[in-house]
Amino acid sequence: MMSSVRVECVVKESCLIGEGPVWEESEQTLLFVDIAGQKIHRWNSATNHIQSMETGHMVGFAVPRRSGGYVAAAGRSVVAVDWSTQTTKKLLEVDEEKPNNRLNDGKVDPIGRLLAGSMALEERPAVLERKQGALYSVTSDLTVTRHFNQVDISNGLDWSPDQKTFFYIDSLSLTVDAFDYDTHSGHMSNRRVVYRMEEGEGLPDGMTVDADGRLWVSCYNAGRVVHIDPETGVRLQSVSLPVMKTTSCCFGGPDYSDLFVTSASLGLDQSERRQQPLAGDQAPPPCQSAPPHCSFTQNLLDVFHVRPRPPVSQVTGLGGQRSSFQLICWIIVRRRDLDLSIIPHSPNQHTANLAGILTLINRLINIIHVIKPDEQRQETGRPRPQGRSTESLWDRLRRLAVTLHFS
């Protein structure tokens, strides 16, 4: 089915190889890279202003970092990017034995593990020494794991909404693959093909997943993005663009209803450049059939940590003490910004544990604005059930801290 949605060019920044779009929700900006142009770009949707930074190396991806700045792929290295000073700091290097390689596409998994793939340097677009690449993951302590090798062009990657399936593209295989994925360990297994590119669809390149768990795949050399159901292997929609070398895509905009698509101009001859004056610019076709999308792979990405929105039921839930308690538990389990190593190991483990718990509770009190049940009931006008304690959760936390302190 061909799409009739409107396509427009919104970022007029001609790129040799525009790639890796990421929507930064907090700033309402689109982050993307120019691989061959060796630049990272930020487009502000409110001001239509573009900021750019040169990296000095071919840059495969850039993702936002909680502490500020970004982490990016520069050549074979993963680097920390300080946007304010326009500088980079090397964190690690892969494929040390293959100096002719570079990192390509990369994203962060649901718990903050960075996944990135490599490939050989191209002689010309999509022409290179084959089977030289690999797929890697990097944890917060910079531990690198190679999941598999014999990769041609490591490209699109993303996860299903339930986080149990990892989708992956090795472009020259002309397939979109899926793996069973364990978010706790990062282990992937049971590789299988969920979609084979059809004639005229070009090479599968970057991709994203929508809120329904369906894939949007950019088709390099085919000038389109295809919408795929990975459960059935059926193409649901095809969105044509006025450029042939579409490279990647992500959802963004205030309600995540726009699909931003990057493109490339490298490899076009003079005739093709005249026919495709927007090649290398970035366009969003408003995908009317796509539900609003807020995937962990698009907004508020941290390099080694992730900050997903909590489920609505845990914030608005049943109200009162239970709602506040659920919110605290979510912050402890999901935010990963509390240093749980404050509970030390010592010969007197019981005392040490109490001291650690006390410190943790005090931190919670300091960083969480807990809604007092009494105040909430006063605002809502609901009567207090007979026999229930009048002590608020706030007061209980403080009393528990004092009790532990003097135990």
Side-chain angles (χ1 to χ4, degrees), residues 2-3 5 20 28 53 69 134 142-143 156 163 176 180 231 282 327 354 371 392:
M2 294 301 294
S3 170
V5 300
Q28 293 292 291
M53 171 183 166
L142 302 185
T143 298
Q163 308 175 8
V176 180
D180 295 339
E231 294 295 324
Q282 322 313 325
L327 179 58
L354 289 178
I371 301 175
S392 70

Side-chain angles (χ1 to χ4, degrees), residues 250-321:
C250 79
F251 284 98
D255 57 359
Y256 287 87
S257 62
D258 291 335
L259 182 69
F260 290 92
V261 181
T262 52
S263 62
S265 61
L266 185 67
L268 296 177
D269 59 30
Q270 291 185 353
S271 173
E272 291 170 326
R273 287 179 182 274
R274 287 193 296 269
Q275 296 172 3
Q276 304 173 50
L278 298 180
D281 295 340
Q282 322 313 325
C287 295
Q288 306 297 337
S289 64
H293 177 67
C294 186
S295 168
F296 46 76
T297 58
Q298 307 308 331
N299 74 95
L300 293 176
L301 277 180
D302 300 321
V303 174
F304 303 120
H305 300 273
V306 66
R307 290 175 288 171
R309 294 175 179 174
V312 174
S313 61
Q314 290 189 350
V315 176
T316 59
L318 300 176
Q321 293 181 358

Side-chain angles (χ1 to χ4, degrees), residues 40 112 230 272 343 346:
I40 303 173
E272 291 170 326
I343 301 178
S346 70

Side-chain angles (χ1 to χ4, degrees), residues 19 42 62 78 111 114 119 127 164 176 186 231 233-234 269 276 284 322 336 340 349 365 386 396:
E19 259 282 9
R42 292 180 63 199
V78 175
I111 69 166
L114 176 68
M119 57 180 284
V127 178
K164 295 180 179 179
V176 180
E231 294 295 324
V234 173
D269 59 30
Q276 304 173 50
R322 183 172 182 180
R336 297 174 60 87
L340 298 183
Q349 191 65 47
I365 291 173
Q386 293 295 323
R396 289 186 181 186

